[in-house]
Structure formats: C-alpha cells, structure tokens
Amino acid sequence: METALGLLLAYFVVLGVSLVYRQHTVRGPWLFLLRAFFPNWQFFHKVGPVPHLYVRFQDSLQQWSDWQWIYPRRQRQLWDVLHNPHGNLLLAQQNLVDHLSSDVKELGEGADARPLVSYQLVCRLAAQAARQRKGEGAYQFELRLERPTPEGYAQSDTVLRSPEMPL
C-alpha cells in the first residue's frame, strides 16, 4: 500500500514539474499505464477540432445505416450534481475517444492503429453502440476531428475509418 501511494505521489510530482517546465511533453510507456486514472487534459492546451466517434451498421436487410454520432448531449438535471453515473460513463467514453485520437496522431501517417489498446476498446464501444441501435450484420466506426461553431460544425476531417467488422 505504501509503495502504491509513493508511486502515485511521484507521478503527481512529475506532473507538477512538467507544469513548470513546459519545453518538453512528459511521455513514456510507464505513463501510458497510469493514464486511465486521469482525464485527458489536452483541451486546455489550445482550442481546436474535437474528436467525435461515428458508427454505422447493417440492419436486418443487410443495408448500411447513415453515420450516427454516438455521444449526443444529454439533458442536465439538478440531481446530476449529486449522482450522475450515466454522465460519468459518457465522459469516460469520450475520454477513450480522445485517447484514440491522440494515439493515432502519435502513430503518424499510414500507420496501422489496430494493435493499439485504445483502438480495440473503441471497437468494442462502437459494437455496443451498433447493437443498441438494432444493428445485426456488421458495423464500422469512424473517428472525425470536427471544429465546432455556433451554427454547427465548420469542418469535419476523417482521421480513422475502421474496416467492416462483424457484430
């Protein structure tokens, strides 16, 4: 228990030092293992496009549906201030999509993202969303970077499109 607490404290010390010295981004395989415990704070870095996950699926007639954004906003309620498990789940799922976007960006152009853990988790997330929308045969997901404006989205760039996968 003391070792785990010491490692967690050391992690926060490294993060604190990285806030003071901004020349280098703190990276490494050991940080990758701990990132599931902390949200993706890159939205504080600069205003830019937001990663969104879209899914399409085959229905019972084997026809493809339109691309559907699987995380539309949910109405807030006063009770959510005290107890909000559904909102927390949506936040964790969007954090996973953000991590996949970051991982794909680090891979570079033309690299295969299928071995990434974040890719495999998003595949499961997309399959679950397709099943909830009555998909039967196959599904496909697409990761898009979209720049929001008050009128909608000004720009939408496809970063990653998965192959067709069976449900």
Side-chain angles (χ1 to χ4, degrees), residues 57-65 136-138:
F57 54 88
Q58 287 181 337
D59 59 12
S60 59
L61 301 174
Q62 302 299 320
Q63 294 180 356
W64 285 97
S65 68
E136 294 187 9

Side-chain angles (χ1 to χ4, degrees), residues 63-118:
Q63 294 180 356
W64 285 97
S65 68
D66 292 332
W67 290 102
Q68 299 175 12
W69 182 32
I70 62 170
Y71 300 123
R73 295 243 181 232
R74 187 179 153 222
Q75 290 292 330
R76 295 183 184 174
Q77 301 172 352
L78 184 59
W79 175 249
D80 291 344
V81 173
L82 301 175
H83 183 70
N84 190 10
H86 184 71
N88 290 341
L89 176 63
L90 291 176
L91 182 62
Q93 291 171 342
Q94 184 58 43
N95 190 28
L96 178 62
V97 172
D98 291 345
H99 281 301
L100 176 61
S101 175
S102 178
D103 289 346
V104 168
K105 182 180 174 184
E106 287 179 12
L107 278 179
E109 189 76 28
D112 187 16
R114 287 180 288 182
L116 297 173
V117 174
S118 56

